[in-house]
Amino acid sequence: GFNSLTTGDAAGDAAGNSYLINGAYPSPSGSLLRKVGPTGATLWEQAVPLIGLRVDVGPDQAPIVSGYPNSGFGAAFAKFSAAGAPLWTNLDADGPGVALLAHAQMKLDAAGDAYLAAGTMSQMAVTKVLGSTGASAWTALIPYGYAQAMAFGPAPTLYVVGGTTARIDGPQGPPPPPTDADLGLTLTDSPDPIRLSGR
């Protein structure tokens, strides 16, 4: 029941609340994130410093919004607490010179990290942002077309479809530290006993 410049999105939390994101109207920039309780009553509204297209709720019950920066293209993210307090903002998550457009889908993994499927004019793309800090983790570009959807495989695998189908294997992390070596030293002498001035 409120006007929107964008299609908008909705997500629910474990308590039965809904989070709605829309482009702010009539403002030319920014968005509104609205939390609605199980009975449909608005619990709070929060201004979001980006053109919000997608919203999802992580395992910590805090909503993450993705969309475009207020000017130009690219991938922008913001996270809020369940009470509506801003936690972090990343207005250039895909990195300088990428400028993603045609945002298709956002998903959060079990750790609360956010993934956005999108595209450039000629490539599919997926951008990952860390849910705990908002820091950009990586952006993968895949030849041909726009991304339409993605799905998680066994961690850290992600599948994306669109102009083609691709599997992205995320960073495996640093190699494990070396284990403690179990070393032993044995000394022997010969002959035993040694005679004084003996050969």
Side-chain angles (χ1 to χ4, degrees):
F2 61 114
N3 293 324
S4 174
L5 293 178
T6 64
T7 303
D9 195 13
D13 66 15
N17 301 303
S18 298
Y19 294 88
L20 311 173
I21 186 65
N22 75 314
Y25 184 85
S27 171
S29 63
S31 301
L32 290 175
L33 178 64
R34 176 185 283 188
K35 182 176 183 178
V36 177
T39 65
T42 297
L43 302 178
W44 52 257
E45 285 185 348
Q46 179 62 260
V48 181
L50 55 95
I51 304 298
L53 301 175
R54 306 282 180 261
V55 62
D56 204 350
V57 179
D60 57 0
Q61 304 305 304
I64 295 179
V65 174
S66 71
Y68 297 114
N70 283 333
S71 62
F73 294 103
F77 292 80
K79 183 175 182 177
F80 299 85
S81 73
L87 299 177
W88 53 254
T89 301
N90 183 340
L91 297 178
D92 190 19
D94 50 347
V98 178
L100 293 180
L101 49 98
H103 295 191
Q105 186 179 23
M106 182 182 72
K107 285 181 170 276
L108 304 185
D109 66 13
D113 297 333
Y115 299 75
L116 176 66
T120 66
M121 293 299 286
S122 60
Q123 297 172 303
M124 298 192 313
V126 176
T127 292
K128 178 181 178 181
V129 171
L130 302 180
S132 57
T133 64
S136 300
W138 49 259
T139 296
L141 298 173
I142 303 109
Y144 310 117
Y146 296 93
Q148 298 297 320
M150 62 184 163
F152 296 118
T157 303
L158 181 74
Y159 297 95
V160 60
V161 296
T164 188
T165 301
R167 184 183 83 194
I168 300 169
D169 292 324
Q172 302 291 324
T179 58
D180 293 337
D182 185 10
L183 298 177
L185 181 63
T186 303
L187 295 174
T188 60
D189 61 348
S190 180
D192 190 6
I194 299 175
R195 290 187 345 210
L196 198 60
S197 298
R199 293 187 187 254

